[in-house]
Each structure stands twice: as C-alpha cells, then as structure tokens.
Amino acid sequence: MSDCCSQPCHNSHPKKQRCPACGQECAEVSARTISHHIQQTWSWTPAAARYFFCDAPDCAVVYFGEDGATLNTAQLRTRIGVKEKADDRPLCYCFGVSLADFQRDPAVKDFVIAQTKAGLCSCETSNPSGRCCLKDFPEVGD
Ligand SMILES: [Zn+2]
C-alpha cells in the first residue's frame, strides 16, 4: 500500500502513464488489484513491472502495462462503473452500492464515508481502480 513510495525504484518513475488507446493520463494500479477483477486470473501472468487504470468513460481499455499490453472490459469479471451509462452501474464495490441506490437515497454516501473512516472498506482490492470508491460518487444535484 503506502509503502510503495519507500521503494527507491519507484521514485524515479512518474506515477502516471498515458493510455495507449485513448491517450489519457492514468494512475498506477497494482497487479494485486487487477488479479481481483480479471477473468481467469489463474491464467494471467503479469509481464509488466507496472500497470495503470484507464478511467476514460469511452475507452474500452481498463488496464494497461508499461510494456503496452492492454486488458479491456470484456476481459474482466467486474463491471467498470465509470465506463458504463446504466443507472445500476456500480459506485462502491466494497459495499455494493449502485448509482441507482445512491440516487434513491443519497445518505448511502454518508454510510460509505463512515465505513471508510472506520477502516472497513476494501477499495484497494474491491474497486477495480484500486482507489477509494468515494471518488466515484457524483456530487448530489449533478
Ligand atoms: Zn484509455
């Protein structure tokens, strides 16, 4: 987790890389996270030293390695909320909150905030981005 910054090998590398499909700058994600979302994880061998998560809504690529290898939505077993338009797309993977759940009851976000503060979330593995689910919640009124 946060100890990645203490490894000297990472200090000289930027934490972001451009998606080979859409060109957007993407944040790094761990192979551990990917292994929780890819189909047939047992037959996937991470070849790149580092991987990145593309959250561009219209880009089919979800993960790519610094070696140029890509994994698209069809190769994952998890629905990628930021790349879907459906009302029931997932917002919070830790507690199974969909956009529709949140729209019905915006207080769900307060629940997620409380759970996160209490350290009960599992974003690092449950969220395909490897980052906190709360960033995917739209502002109320959007
Ligand atoms: Zn992309």
Side-chain angles (χ1 to χ4, degrees), residues 28-49:
E28 190 168 0
V29 65
S30 70
R32 178 168 182 260
T33 299
I34 298 175
S35 71
H36 283 78
H37 301 285
I38 192 173
Q39 290 200 39
Q40 300 181 334
T41 303
W42 55 92
S43 55
W44 179 60
T45 309

Side-chain angles (χ1 to χ4, degrees), residues 67-88:
D67 61 350
T70 58
L71 294 163
N72 61 35
T73 47
Q75 290 167 281
L76 303 181
R77 59 191 144 95
T78 305
R79 292 173 59 190
I80 309 301
V82 292
K83 294 185 187 287
E84 291 199 17
K85 305 261 190 291
D87 284 347
D88 69 341

Side-chain angles (χ1 to χ4, degrees), residues 19 21-22 54 56 59 61:
C19 172
C22 71
C54 176
C59 182
V61 169

Side-chain angles (χ1 to χ4, degrees), residues 49-71:
R50 299 192 306 149
Y51 285 89
F52 301 85
F53 175 80
C54 176
D55 65 0
D58 296 320
C59 182
V61 169
V62 180
Y63 299 118
F64 59 92
E66 60 181 355
D67 61 350
T70 58
L71 294 163

